[in-house]
Amino acid sequence: DAGVTQSPTHLIKTRGQHVTLRCSPISGHKSVSWYQQVLGQGPQFIFQYYEKEERGRGNFPDRFSARQFPNYSSELNVNALLLGDSALYLCASSLGLAEDTQYFGPGTRLTVL
Amino acid sequence: GQQLNQSPQSMFIQEGEDVSMNCTSSSIFNTWLWYKQDPGEGPVLLIALYKAGELTSNGRLTAQFGITRKDSFLNISASIPSDVGIYFCAGSISGTYKYIFGTGTRLKVLA
């Protein structure tokens, strides 16, 4: 079975631009969580979606938004990019809500110039 | 952002040695997960713990959910070169719908 997939693998944007990152969860998983990982740190929670509804939000500005589609795939959108948004963006898939084991995708490396 | 205290921060060991690392929190967690991450890749799940006092093994890896529910431990026995990487703990507080990650332990194994 396929694991969590993310696209694109790498992305280079300039300040002020907008970016959309995509994630497909493991088949049968209904929950998707998004994390930001800056170099040298552990992942930081951004959002969790379950059954197409936002169930949790981390301490990130409103420039960050996400949604989940009927097939349980998800998009993370970031507006008005800042240099500090450069990071590895990780998607994690789980069967249900937060305390279910989370399985990560390979991540999207975003560089903002 | 919020991160758990994980120690040691980094360690160099000889191949064949045993390794121990731990993660502590000021909050009570309902679930502890341990991951390994290679550079530029996503974290790979190693062990999941769901009950206080639980001891779970996965090959040469053994992890324990602390009795106080505020800490967790990971041991690697007879380390090999491919154990090199960054190990993260992650804990979930009931009802918060998120995992909080540790600061990571960077492991280097000398052949």
Side-chain angles (χ1 to χ4, degrees):
Chain A
D1 286 342
V4 180
T5 59
Q6 292 186 244
S7 63
T9 304
H10 296 89
L11 203 53
I12 299 176
K13 293 284 189 178
T14 56
R15 281 176 295 176
Q17 285 190 311
H18 162 271
V19 68
T20 297
L21 310 180
R22 296 176 176 82
C23 171
S24 291
I26 294 170
S27 177
H29 285 195
K30 298 183 177 181
S31 179
V32 169
S33 297
W34 287 95
Y35 291 81
Q36 180 196 65
Q37 186 178 25
V38 300
L39 199 61
Q41 297 183 19
Q44 293 286 326
F45 174 77
I46 309 175
F47 288 110
Q48 184 182 45
Y49 276 77
Y50 174 70
E51 291 285 11
K52 303 183 291 294
E53 290 188 10
E54 181 183 306
R55 299 303 183 113
R57 184 184 185 109
N59 187 26
F60 281 81
D62 291 343
R63 299 185 296 107
F64 288 77
S65 64
R67 55 179 177 168
Q68 187 177 34
F69 299 99
N71 66 353
Y72 302 109
S73 67
S74 177
E75 284 183 355
L76 175 70
N77 296 285
V78 186
N79 293 324
L81 285 167
L82 304 174
L83 296 179
D85 294 332
S86 295
L88 181 67
Y89 288 85
L90 295 163
C91 172
S93 160
S94 57
L95 277 172
L97 289 176
E99 291 167 27
D100 278 345
T101 305
Q102 294 192 349
Y103 299 89
F104 282 87
T108 294
R109 171 67 65 186
L110 172 65
T111 302
V112 182
L113 302 177
Chain B
Q2 187 179 9
Q3 289 194 297
L4 302 175
N5 294 319
Q6 196 170 338
S7 65
Q9 186 175 16
S10 64
M11 55 195 313
F12 287 81
I13 61 169
Q14 293 285 338
E15 183 177 358
E17 288 185 345
D18 296 344
V19 175
S20 293
M21 61 191 77
N22 68 77
C23 205
T24 60
S25 167
S26 58
S27 302
I28 292 175
F29 286 154
N30 283 4
T31 304
W32 283 99
L33 306 177
W34 283 92
Y35 292 90
K36 178 176 182 280
Q37 186 175 29
D38 292 327
E41 299 183 10
V44 174
L45 182 68
L46 300 174
I47 292 179
L49 303 161
Y50 301 105
K51 293 191 302 184
E54 180 181 354
L55 187 70
T56 299
S57 293
N58 177 9
R60 294 179 296 106
L61 279 61
T62 301
Q64 184 164 24
F65 194 138
I67 291 293
T68 65
R69 295 171 63 194
K70 293 183 177 182
D71 55 11
S72 182
F73 308 87
L74 176 69
N75 295 309
I76 304 173
S77 63
S79 58
I80 58 178
S82 62
D83 290 335
V84 166
I86 304 176
Y87 291 80
F88 288 103
C89 62
S92 176
I93 303 173
S94 179
T96 61
Y97 302 121
K98 67 178 181 180
Y99 276 94
I100 302 169
F101 277 74
T103 49
T105 294
R106 288 150 184 80
L107 179 63
K108 295 189 178 183
V109 179
L110 305 174

PDB file of all heavy atoms in Angstrom, chain A residues 71-103:
ATOM      1  N   ASN A  71     -12.135  13.126  -0.672  1.00  0.00           N
ATOM      2  CA  ASN A  71     -11.315  11.912  -0.749  1.00  0.00           C
ATOM      3  C   ASN A  71     -10.227  11.903   0.336  1.00  0.00           C
ATOM      4  O   ASN A  71      -9.327  11.071   0.303  1.00  0.00           O
ATOM      5  CB  ASN A  71     -10.671  11.777  -2.135  1.00  0.00           C
ATOM      6  CG  ASN A  71      -9.661  12.873  -2.406  1.00  0.00           C
ATOM      7  OD1 ASN A  71      -9.516  13.824  -1.620  1.00  0.00           O
ATOM      8  ND2 ASN A  71      -8.961  12.765  -3.528  1.00  0.00           N
ATOM      9  N   TYR A  72     -10.321  12.839   1.283  1.00  0.00           N
ATOM     10  CA  TYR A  72      -9.444  12.964   2.458  1.00  0.00           C
ATOM     11  C   TYR A  72      -8.071  13.549   2.145  1.00  0.00           C
ATOM     12  O   TYR A  72      -7.272  13.734   3.069  1.00  0.00           O
ATOM     13  CB  TYR A  72      -9.304  11.645   3.222  1.00  0.00           C
ATOM     14  CG  TYR A  72     -10.631  11.112   3.675  1.00  0.00           C
ATOM     15  CD1 TYR A  72     -11.196   9.978   3.087  1.00  0.00           C
ATOM     16  CD2 TYR A  72     -11.353  11.769   4.676  1.00  0.00           C
ATOM     17  CE1 TYR A  72     -12.436   9.514   3.485  1.00  0.00           C
ATOM     18  CE2 TYR A  72     -12.591  11.301   5.078  1.00  0.00           C
ATOM     19  CZ  TYR A  72     -13.128  10.183   4.474  1.00  0.00           C
ATOM     20  OH  TYR A  72     -14.360   9.725   4.864  1.00  0.00           O
ATOM     21  N   SER A  73      -7.782  13.857   0.878  1.00  0.00           N
ATOM     22  CA  SER A  73      -6.546  14.574   0.591  1.00  0.00           C
ATOM     23  C   SER A  73      -6.656  15.995   1.129  1.00  0.00           C
ATOM     24  O   SER A  73      -7.758  16.453   1.490  1.00  0.00           O
ATOM     25  CB  SER A  73      -6.266  14.587  -0.918  1.00  0.00           C
ATOM     26  OG  SER A  73      -7.248  15.359  -1.593  1.00  0.00           O
ATOM     27  N   SER A  74      -5.539  16.678   1.191  1.00  0.00           N
ATOM     28  CA  SER A  74      -5.548  17.985   1.842  1.00  0.00           C
ATOM     29  C   SER A  74      -4.602  18.951   1.139  1.00  0.00           C
ATOM     30  O   SER A  74      -3.656  18.532   0.466  1.00  0.00           O
ATOM     31  CB  SER A  74      -5.141  17.831   3.307  1.00  0.00           C
ATOM     32  OG  SER A  74      -5.076  19.087   3.981  1.00  0.00           O
ATOM     33  N   GLU A  75      -4.895  20.215   1.272  1.00  0.00           N
ATOM     34  CA  GLU A  75      -4.024  21.289   0.796  1.00  0.00           C
ATOM     35  C   GLU A  75      -3.674  22.218   1.942  1.00  0.00           C
ATOM     36  O   GLU A  75      -4.532  22.509   2.790  1.00  0.00           O
ATOM     37  CB  GLU A  75      -4.737  22.118  -0.282  1.00  0.00           C
ATOM     38  CG  GLU A  75      -4.821  21.494  -1.638  1.00  0.00           C
ATOM     39  CD  GLU A  75      -5.488  22.428  -2.643  1.00  0.00           C
ATOM     40  OE1 GLU A  75      -5.969  23.511  -2.245  1.00  0.00           O
ATOM     41  OE2 GLU A  75      -5.513  22.065  -3.830  1.00  0.00           O
ATOM     42  N   LEU A  76      -2.436  22.674   1.954  1.00  0.00           N
ATOM     43  CA  LEU A  76      -2.010  23.722   2.870  1.00  0.00           C
ATOM     44  C   LEU A  76      -1.672  24.939   2.028  1.00  0.00           C
ATOM     45  O   LEU A  76      -0.910  24.837   1.069  1.00  0.00           O
ATOM     46  CB  LEU A  76      -0.782  23.283   3.669  1.00  0.00           C
ATOM     47  CG  LEU A  76      -0.162  24.349   4.584  1.00  0.00           C
ATOM     48  CD1 LEU A  76      -1.094  24.642   5.764  1.00  0.00           C
ATOM     49  CD2 LEU A  76       1.208  23.892   5.087  1.00  0.00           C
ATOM     50  N   ASN A  77      -2.247  26.070   2.365  1.00  0.00           N
ATOM     51  CA  ASN A  77      -2.003  27.310   1.645  1.00  0.00           C
ATOM     52  C   ASN A  77      -1.313  28.309   2.563  1.00  0.00           C
ATOM     53  O   ASN A  77      -1.677  28.445   3.733  1.00  0.00           O
ATOM     54  CB  ASN A  77      -3.323  27.917   1.163  1.00  0.00           C
ATOM     55  CG  ASN A  77      -4.023  27.027   0.156  1.00  0.00           C
ATOM     56  OD1 ASN A  77      -3.610  26.952  -0.994  1.00  0.00           O
ATOM     57  ND2 ASN A  77      -5.058  26.337   0.588  1.00  0.00           N
ATOM     58  N   VAL A  78      -0.326  28.983   2.015  1.00  0.00           N
ATOM     59  CA  VAL A  78       0.348  30.035   2.754  1.00  0.00           C
ATOM     60  C   VAL A  78       0.379  31.284   1.865  1.00  0.00           C
ATOM     61  O   VAL A  78       0.880  31.238   0.742  1.00  0.00           O
ATOM     62  CB  VAL A  78       1.779  29.651   3.158  1.00  0.00           C
ATOM     63  CG1 VAL A  78       2.371  30.731   4.067  1.00  0.00           C
ATOM     64  CG2 VAL A  78       1.810  28.294   3.844  1.00  0.00           C
ATOM     65  N   ASN A  79      -0.184  32.378   2.381  1.00  0.00           N
ATOM     66  CA  ASN A  79      -0.207  33.644   1.652  1.00  0.00           C
ATOM     67  C   ASN A  79       0.894  34.572   2.127  1.00  0.00           C
ATOM     68  O   ASN A  79       1.433  34.409   3.236  1.00  0.00           O
ATOM     69  CB  ASN A  79      -1.559  34.341   1.874  1.00  0.00           C
ATOM     70  CG  ASN A  79      -2.699  33.579   1.234  1.00  0.00           C
ATOM     71  OD1 ASN A  79      -2.551  32.997   0.159  1.00  0.00           O
ATOM     72  ND2 ASN A  79      -3.839  33.568   1.896  1.00  0.00           N
ATOM     73  N   ALA A  80       1.206  35.566   1.284  1.00  0.00           N
ATOM     74  CA  ALA A  80       2.156  36.623   1.660  1.00  0.00           C
ATOM     75  C   ALA A  80       3.399  36.036   2.298  1.00  0.00           C
ATOM     76  O   ALA A  80       3.745  36.345   3.446  1.00  0.00           O
ATOM     77  CB  ALA A  80       1.462  37.616   2.601  1.00  0.00           C
ATOM     78  N   LEU A  81       4.088  35.176   1.572  1.00  0.00           N
ATOM     79  CA  LEU A  81       5.233  34.439   2.111  1.00  0.00           C
ATOM     80  C   LEU A  81       6.306  35.365   2.679  1.00  0.00           C
ATOM     81  O   LEU A  81       6.612  36.426   2.116  1.00  0.00           O
ATOM     82  CB  LEU A  81       5.836  33.566   1.016  1.00  0.00           C
ATOM     83  CG  LEU A  81       5.044  32.307   0.670  1.00  0.00           C
ATOM     84  CD1 LEU A  81       5.560  31.689  -0.624  1.00  0.00           C
ATOM     85  CD2 LEU A  81       5.095  31.302   1.812  1.00  0.00           C
ATOM     86  N   LEU A  82       6.863  34.928   3.805  1.00  0.00           N
ATOM     87  CA  LEU A  82       7.983  35.607   4.447  1.00  0.00           C
ATOM     88  C   LEU A  82       9.208  34.708   4.386  1.00  0.00           C
ATOM     89  O   LEU A  82       9.089  33.484   4.241  1.00  0.00           O
ATOM     90  CB  LEU A  82       7.644  35.920   5.907  1.00  0.00           C
ATOM     91  CG  LEU A  82       6.384  36.745   6.175  1.00  0.00           C
ATOM     92  CD1 LEU A  82       6.120  36.822   7.668  1.00  0.00           C
ATOM     93  CD2 LEU A  82       6.521  38.125   5.563  1.00  0.00           C
ATOM     94  N   LEU A  83      10.376  35.320   4.553  1.00  0.00           N
ATOM     95  CA  LEU A  83      11.610  34.518   4.547  1.00  0.00           C
ATOM     96  C   LEU A  83      11.547  33.420   5.600  1.00  0.00           C
ATOM     97  O   LEU A  83      12.019  32.296   5.392  1.00  0.00           O
ATOM     98  CB  LEU A  83      12.824  35.409   4.794  1.00  0.00           C
ATOM     99  CG  LEU A  83      13.134  36.463   3.734  1.00  0.00           C
ATOM    100  CD1 LEU A  83      14.363  37.274   4.143  1.00  0.00           C
ATOM    101  CD2 LEU A  83      13.362  35.827   2.369  1.00  0.00           C
ATOM    102  N   GLY A  84      10.932  33.735   6.743  1.00  0.00           N
ATOM    103  CA  GLY A  84      10.842  32.796   7.853  1.00  0.00           C
ATOM    104  C   GLY A  84       9.928  31.613   7.603  1.00  0.00           C
ATOM    105  O   GLY A  84       9.876  30.689   8.425  1.00  0.00           O
ATOM    106  N   ASP A  85       9.198  31.639   6.485  1.00  0.00           N
ATOM    107  CA  ASP A  85       8.345  30.496   6.153  1.00  0.00           C
ATOM    108  C   ASP A  85       9.151  29.382   5.487  1.00  0.00           C
ATOM    109  O   ASP A  85       8.609  28.292   5.243  1.00  0.00           O
ATOM    110  CB  ASP A  85       7.222  30.939   5.206  1.00  0.00           C
ATOM    111  CG  ASP A  85       6.247  31.902   5.867  1.00  0.00           C
ATOM    112  OD1 ASP A  85       6.082  31.828   7.108  1.00  0.00           O
ATOM    113  OD2 ASP A  85       5.659  32.742   5.145  1.00  0.00           O
ATOM    114  N   SER A  86      10.401  29.622   5.194  1.00  0.00           N
ATOM    115  CA  SER A  86      11.258  28.591   4.605  1.00  0.00           C
ATOM    116  C   SER A  86      11.390  27.435   5.602  1.00  0.00           C
ATOM    117  O   SER A  86      11.820  27.627   6.743  1.00  0.00           O
ATOM    118  CB  SER A  86      12.642  29.143   4.290  1.00  0.00           C
ATOM    119  OG  SER A  86      12.562  30.143   3.301  1.00  0.00           O
ATOM    120  N   ALA A  87      11.019  26.244   5.172  1.00  0.00           N
ATOM    121  CA  ALA A  87      10.989  25.100   6.081  1.00  0.00           C
ATOM    122  C   ALA A  87      10.624  23.856   5.302  1.00  0.00           C
ATOM    123  O   ALA A  87      10.277  23.914   4.120  1.00  0.00           O
ATOM    124  CB  ALA A  87       9.975  25.319   7.202  1.00  0.00           C
ATOM    125  N   LEU A  88      10.684  22.723   6.010  1.00  0.00           N
ATOM    126  CA  LEU A  88      10.144  21.470   5.482  1.00  0.00           C
ATOM    127  C   LEU A  88       8.711  21.352   5.998  1.00  0.00           C
ATOM    128  O   LEU A  88       8.484  21.397   7.211  1.00  0.00           O
ATOM    129  CB  LEU A  88      10.983  20.284   5.970  1.00  0.00           C
ATOM    130  CG  LEU A  88      10.574  18.893   5.486  1.00  0.00           C
ATOM    131  CD1 LEU A  88      10.791  18.753   3.981  1.00  0.00           C
ATOM    132  CD2 LEU A  88      11.356  17.818   6.239  1.00  0.00           C
ATOM    133  N   TYR A  89       7.749  21.238   5.100  1.00  0.00           N
ATOM    134  CA  TYR A  89       6.347  21.109   5.495  1.00  0.00           C
ATOM    135  C   TYR A  89       5.950  19.646   5.395  1.00  0.00           C
ATOM    136  O   TYR A  89       6.030  19.032   4.332  1.00  0.00           O
ATOM    137  CB  TYR A  89       5.461  22.002   4.628  1.00  0.00           C
ATOM    138  CG  TYR A  89       5.655  23.455   4.992  1.00  0.00           C
ATOM    139  CD1 TYR A  89       6.683  24.196   4.434  1.00  0.00           C
ATOM    140  CD2 TYR A  89       4.834  24.060   5.939  1.00  0.00           C
ATOM    141  CE1 TYR A  89       6.891  25.516   4.806  1.00  0.00           C
ATOM    142  CE2 TYR A  89       5.032  25.380   6.313  1.00  0.00           C
ATOM    143  CZ  TYR A  89       6.071  26.100   5.746  1.00  0.00           C
ATOM    144  OH  TYR A  89       6.280  27.401   6.133  1.00  0.00           O
ATOM    145  N   LEU A  90       5.528  19.128   6.527  1.00  0.00           N
ATOM    146  CA  LEU A  90       5.220  17.701   6.642  1.00  0.00           C
ATOM    147  C   LEU A  90       3.729  17.473   6.792  1.00  0.00           C
ATOM    148  O   LEU A  90       3.043  18.208   7.506  1.00  0.00           O
ATOM    149  CB  LEU A  90       5.942  17.117   7.862  1.00  0.00           C
ATOM    150  CG  LEU A  90       7.469  17.122   7.802  1.00  0.00           C
ATOM    151  CD1 LEU A  90       8.057  16.931   9.189  1.00  0.00           C
ATOM    152  CD2 LEU A  90       7.964  16.027   6.868  1.00  0.00           C
ATOM    153  N   CYS A  91       3.261  16.443   6.145  1.00  0.00           N
ATOM    154  CA  CYS A  91       1.878  16.011   6.273  1.00  0.00           C
ATOM    155  C   CYS A  91       1.886  14.667   7.000  1.00  0.00           C
ATOM    156  O   CYS A  91       2.728  13.806   6.710  1.00  0.00           O
ATOM    157  CB  CYS A  91       1.255  15.870   4.885  1.00  0.00           C
ATOM    158  SG  CYS A  91      -0.370  15.118   4.863  1.00  0.00           S
ATOM    159  N   ALA A  92       0.986  14.507   7.943  1.00  0.00           N
ATOM    160  CA  ALA A  92       0.872  13.252   8.676  1.00  0.00           C
ATOM    161  C   ALA A  92      -0.550  12.726   8.545  1.00  0.00           C
ATOM    162  O   ALA A  92      -1.516  13.492   8.613  1.00  0.00           O
ATOM    163  CB  ALA A  92       1.228  13.447  10.143  1.00  0.00           C
ATOM    164  N   SER A  93      -0.658  11.430   8.394  1.00  0.00           N
ATOM    165  CA  SER A  93      -1.941  10.772   8.174  1.00  0.00           C
ATOM    166  C   SER A  93      -2.244   9.875   9.374  1.00  0.00           C
ATOM    167  O   SER A  93      -1.339   9.233   9.919  1.00  0.00           O
ATOM    168  CB  SER A  93      -1.816   9.956   6.874  1.00  0.00           C
ATOM    169  OG  SER A  93      -2.764   8.939   6.757  1.00  0.00           O
ATOM    170  N   SER A  94      -3.508   9.850   9.795  1.00  0.00           N
ATOM    171  CA  SER A  94      -3.901   8.938  10.865  1.00  0.00           C
ATOM    172  C   SER A  94      -5.335   8.478  10.619  1.00  0.00           C
ATOM    173  O   SER A  94      -6.096   9.123   9.909  1.00  0.00           O
ATOM    174  CB  SER A  94      -3.765   9.583  12.244  1.00  0.00           C
ATOM    175  OG  SER A  94      -4.528  10.764  12.341  1.00  0.00           O
ATOM    176  N   LEU A  95      -5.679   7.368  11.272  1.00  0.00           N
ATOM    177  CA  LEU A  95      -7.016   6.804  11.066  1.00  0.00           C
ATOM    178  C   LEU A  95      -8.088   7.777  11.509  1.00  0.00           C
ATOM    179  O   LEU A  95      -9.070   8.013  10.819  1.00  0.00           O
ATOM    180  CB  LEU A  95      -7.156   5.489  11.840  1.00  0.00           C
ATOM    181  CG  LEU A  95      -6.629   4.232  11.179  1.00  0.00           C
ATOM    182  CD1 LEU A  95      -6.666   3.063  12.154  1.00  0.00           C
ATOM    183  CD2 LEU A  95      -7.445   3.903   9.933  1.00  0.00           C
ATOM    184  N   GLY A  96      -7.915   8.322  12.735  1.00  0.00           N
ATOM    185  CA  GLY A  96      -8.932   9.200  13.295  1.00  0.00           C
ATOM    186  C   GLY A  96      -8.325  10.477  13.817  1.00  0.00           C
ATOM    187  O   GLY A  96      -7.498  11.088  13.162  1.00  0.00           O
ATOM    188  N   LEU A  97      -8.687  10.838  15.029  1.00  0.00           N
ATOM    189  CA  LEU A  97      -8.240  12.106  15.596  1.00  0.00           C
ATOM    190  C   LEU A  97      -6.904  11.967  16.313  1.00  0.00           C
ATOM    191  O   LEU A  97      -6.258  10.947  16.257  1.00  0.00           O
ATOM    192  CB  LEU A  97      -9.323  12.649  16.538  1.00  0.00           C
ATOM    193  CG  LEU A  97     -10.579  13.159  15.830  1.00  0.00           C
ATOM    194  CD1 LEU A  97     -11.630  13.586  16.829  1.00  0.00           C
ATOM    195  CD2 LEU A  97     -10.236  14.282  14.889  1.00  0.00           C
ATOM    196  N   ALA A  98      -6.535  13.002  17.044  1.00  0.00           N
ATOM    197  CA  ALA A  98      -5.154  13.263  17.459  1.00  0.00           C
ATOM    198  C   ALA A  98      -4.398  12.084  18.029  1.00  0.00           C
ATOM    199  O   ALA A  98      -3.239  11.880  17.706  1.00  0.00           O
ATOM    200  CB  ALA A  98      -5.124  14.388  18.471  1.00  0.00           C
ATOM    201  N   GLU A  99      -4.998  11.290  18.874  1.00  0.00           N
ATOM    202  CA  GLU A  99      -4.179  10.307  19.573  1.00  0.00           C
ATOM    203  C   GLU A  99      -3.937   9.050  18.764  1.00  0.00           C
ATOM    204  O   GLU A  99      -3.254   8.147  19.222  1.00  0.00           O
ATOM    205  CB  GLU A  99      -4.814   9.983  20.918  1.00  0.00           C
ATOM    206  CG  GLU A  99      -4.717  11.174  21.872  1.00  0.00           C
ATOM    207  CD  GLU A  99      -5.583  11.023  23.084  1.00  0.00           C
ATOM    208  OE1 GLU A  99      -5.851   9.888  23.485  1.00  0.00           O
ATOM    209  OE2 GLU A  99      -5.991  12.046  23.635  1.00  0.00           O
ATOM    210  N   ASP A 100      -4.474   8.975  17.589  1.00  0.00           N
ATOM    211  CA  ASP A 100      -4.122   7.875  16.695  1.00  0.00           C
ATOM    212  C   ASP A 100      -2.692   8.061  16.210  1.00  0.00           C
ATOM    213  O   ASP A 100      -2.222   9.180  16.042  1.00  0.00           O
ATOM    214  CB  ASP A 100      -5.053   7.831  15.490  1.00  0.00           C
ATOM    215  CG  ASP A 100      -6.359   7.127  15.796  1.00  0.00           C
ATOM    216  OD1 ASP A 100      -6.436   6.431  16.826  1.00  0.00           O
ATOM    217  OD2 ASP A 100      -7.290   7.278  15.007  1.00  0.00           O
ATOM    218  N   THR A 101      -2.012   6.994  15.970  1.00  0.00           N
ATOM    219  CA  THR A 101      -0.646   7.034  15.484  1.00  0.00           C
ATOM    220  C   THR A 101      -0.590   7.791  14.169  1.00  0.00           C
ATOM    221  O   THR A 101      -1.399   7.562  13.283  1.00  0.00           O
ATOM    222  CB  THR A 101      -0.129   5.606  15.299  1.00  0.00           C
ATOM    223  OG1 THR A 101      -0.291   4.907  16.547  1.00  0.00           O
ATOM    224  CG2 THR A 101       1.325   5.602  14.905  1.00  0.00           C
ATOM    225  N   GLN A 102       0.371   8.684  14.051  1.00  0.00           N
ATOM    226  CA  GLN A 102       0.515   9.508  12.861  1.00  0.00           C
ATOM    227  C   GLN A 102       1.693   9.030  12.016  1.00  0.00           C
ATOM    228  O   GLN A 102       2.784   8.794  12.538  1.00  0.00           O
ATOM    229  CB  GLN A 102       0.710  10.973  13.241  1.00  0.00           C
ATOM    230  CG  GLN A 102      -0.518  11.571  13.909  1.00  0.00           C
ATOM    231  CD  GLN A 102      -0.455  13.080  14.031  1.00  0.00           C
ATOM    232  OE1 GLN A 102       0.568  13.708  13.810  1.00  0.00           O
ATOM    233  NE2 GLN A 102      -1.582  13.682  14.380  1.00  0.00           N
ATOM    234  N   TYR A 103       1.462   8.921  10.716  1.00  0.00           N
ATOM    235  CA  TYR A 103       2.469   8.489   9.765  1.00  0.00           C
ATOM    236  C   TYR A 103       2.763   9.659   8.832  1.00  0.00           C
ATOM    237  O   TYR A 103       1.845  10.232   8.252  1.00  0.00           O
ATOM    238  CB  TYR A 103       1.986   7.279   8.967  1.00  0.00           C
ATOM    239  CG  TYR A 103       1.687   6.080   9.836  1.00  0.00           C
ATOM    240  CD1 TYR A 103       0.427   5.900  10.386  1.00  0.00           C
ATOM    241  CD2 TYR A 103       2.672   5.138  10.109  1.00  0.00           C
ATOM    242  CE1 TYR A 103       0.150   4.821  11.201  1.00  0.00           C
ATOM    243  CE2 TYR A 103       2.404   4.040  10.919  1.00  0.00           C
ATOM    244  CZ  TYR A 103       1.142   3.884  11.463  1.00  0.00           C
ATOM    245  OH  TYR A 103       0.871   2.817  12.272  1.00  0.00           O
TER     246      TYR A 103
END
